[in-house]
């Protein structure tokens, strides 16, 4: 009967709106926490748990990462343009910088090949994520040691060793609850890099890693089978249109967060995110 059909249609629309709102909330969480050293993946896992969003775990996070990836490219557009120009003309500075980026990618590649199944299982364990957030907070407190070195004028230039150290930090952050920016920047600072150089290299070296992960993982998600206006594909909570809107929102919020974290680094207050992670991790452990 028409009234029954109308009622069913209203329920479907209401459900779609609710799921879209939840996804946009996750996009804001992603944008805020991708560049702040508090672990976007950890916050997404916990937000999904408490918001009740059913998703394919890291697949949804990967799509939101594409939005924040764009914000990195926009924020460092001048540095990236200069790097591309150096590479096009075969300049030594550009070639070395590109080489250090490649070196930094090696640990992340090895971690992905060695432990992908393990990492996927951790996404389903909010209590494990909470414990990793506590570990992330403890690590951030170590960045206070780097501030002392910086004030003493013992900063060093970027080289292969420091690029590798930051790459190891990036690889460890494959674990949800460990911040990629937090571990990589802290590693760079502890190995003697200045705050601006450590932040810039941390975010620039993330571009090929995130883009490469997208190319590897995107065909396995439900996104490619999602219709722009209809329901989501199997395993994906919303249609492609809202997912694109969420990615755009994550990118905008991420750009604002990126500006904030660079300012915090300049002020030598990076370690102050540590107590926050300790508190959130402990609270999430009790609730999980």
């Amino acid at each position: 009967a028409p009234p029954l059909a109308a009622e069913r249609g209203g329920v479907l629309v209401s459900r779609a709106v609710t799921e879209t709102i939840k996804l946009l909330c996750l996009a804001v969480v992603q944008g805020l926490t991708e560049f702040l050293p508090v672990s976007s993946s950890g916050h997404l896992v916990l937000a999904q748990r408490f918001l009740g969003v059913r998703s394919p775990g890291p697949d949804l996070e990967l799509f939101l990462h594409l939005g924040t990836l764009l914000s990195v490219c926009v924020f460092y557009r001048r540095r990236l343009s200069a790097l591309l120009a150096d590479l096009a003309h075969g300049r030594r500075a550009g070639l070395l910088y590109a080489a250090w980026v490649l070196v930094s990618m090696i640990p992340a590649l090895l971690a992905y090949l060695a432990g992908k199944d393990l990492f996927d299982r951790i996404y389903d364990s909010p209590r494990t994520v909470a414990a990793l957030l506590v570990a992330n907070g403890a690590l951030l407190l170590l960045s206070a040691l780097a501030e002392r070195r910086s004030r003493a004028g013992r900063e060093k230039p970027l080289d292969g060793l420091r690029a590798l150290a930051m790459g190891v930090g990036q690889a460890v952050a494959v674990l949800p609850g460990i911040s990629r920016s937090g571990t990589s920047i802290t590693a760079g600072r502890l190995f003697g890099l200045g705050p601006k150089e450590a932040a810039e290299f941390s975010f620039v070296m993330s571009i090929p890693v995130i883009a490469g992960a997208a190319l590897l993982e995107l065909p396995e998600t439900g996104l490619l089978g999602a219709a722009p206006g209809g329901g989501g594909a199997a395993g994906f909570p919303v249609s492609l249109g809202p997912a694109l809107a969420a990615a755009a929102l994550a990118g905008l919020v991420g750009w604002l967060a990126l500006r904030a974290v660079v300012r915090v680094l300049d002020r030598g207050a990076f370690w102050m995110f540590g107590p926050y992670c300790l508190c959130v991790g402990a609270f999430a452990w009790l609730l999980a």
Side-chain angles (χ1 to χ4, degrees):
L4 181 58
E7 182 179 352
R8 289 178 178 175
V11 170
L12 290 175
V13 170
S14 177
R15 183 180 300 172
V17 170
T18 300
E19 293 300 326
T20 299
I21 291 174
K22 289 179 179 180
L23 183 57
L24 293 178
C25 289
L26 291 179
V28 173
V29 172
Q30 165 69 18
L32 285 174
T33 58
E34 171 65 12
F35 303 118
L36 300 179
V38 296
S39 178
S40 62
S41 58
H43 279 71
L44 278 173
V45 170
L46 297 177
Q48 287 171 8
R49 171 67 176 269
F50 298 131
L51 290 174
V53 176
R54 295 183 179 180
S55 75
D59 293 340
L60 175 58
E61 182 201 356
L62 175 64
F63 193 72
L64 295 178
H65 266 86
L66 294 177
T68 48
L69 174 62
L70 179 61
S71 65
V72 177
C73 295
V74 172
F75 190 87
Y76 285 110
R77 61 189 181 279
R78 293 187 179 87
R79 182 67 183 93
L80 293 173
S81 297
L83 177 59
L84 291 175
D86 286 346
L87 293 175
H89 293 86
R91 299 186 184 119
R92 184 173 182 274
L95 293 173
L96 278 177
Y97 198 91
W100 302 151
V101 171
L102 290 175
V103 168
S104 72
M105 293 171 59
I106 295 174
L109 177 61
L110 295 176
Y112 175 85
L113 294 175
K116 183 180 182 300
D117 292 339
L118 171 62
F119 302 144
D120 287 349
R121 287 196 298 271
I122 292 177
Y123 276 85
D124 296 326
S125 175
R127 177 157 286 193
T128 301
V129 172
L132 290 171
L133 270 172
V134 172
N136 185 72
L139 177 65
L140 288 173
L141 294 178
L142 291 176
S143 65
L145 299 177
E147 297 304 327
R148 295 181 181 179
R149 179 181 298 177
S150 181
R151 287 193 294 269
R154 296 199 296 269
E155 295 178 358
K156 298 179 181 179
L158 179 67
D159 60 12
L161 176 62
R162 292 170 182 84
L164 182 61
M166 293 182 69
V168 171
Q170 179 170 248
V172 173
V174 175
L175 296 168
I178 301 296
S179 165
R180 195 208 64 80
S181 63
T183 53
S184 59
I185 291 175
T186 298
R189 298 287 284 124
L190 291 175
F191 274 74
L193 290 181
K196 288 185 177 180
E197 190 168 21
E200 178 188 279
F201 189 72
S202 171
F203 295 126
V204 169
M205 78 180 192
S206 73
I207 294 175
V209 171
I210 297 174
L215 291 175
L216 290 173
E217 297 287 345
L218 195 56
E220 300 178 8
T221 69
L223 288 169
L224 296 182
F236 200 75
V238 296
S239 62
L240 186 56
L244 289 172
L249 179 60
L252 175 61
V253 177
W255 182 79
L256 296 173
L258 185 53
R259 292 185 61 186
V261 76
V262 170
R263 290 179 180 177
V264 169
L265 272 167
D266 287 342
R267 295 173 181 173
F270 200 60
W271 64 271
M272 293 181 66
F273 290 102
Y276 167 81
C277 289
L278 292 174
C279 292
V280 171
F283 185 67
W285 172 276
L286 294 176
L287 292 181

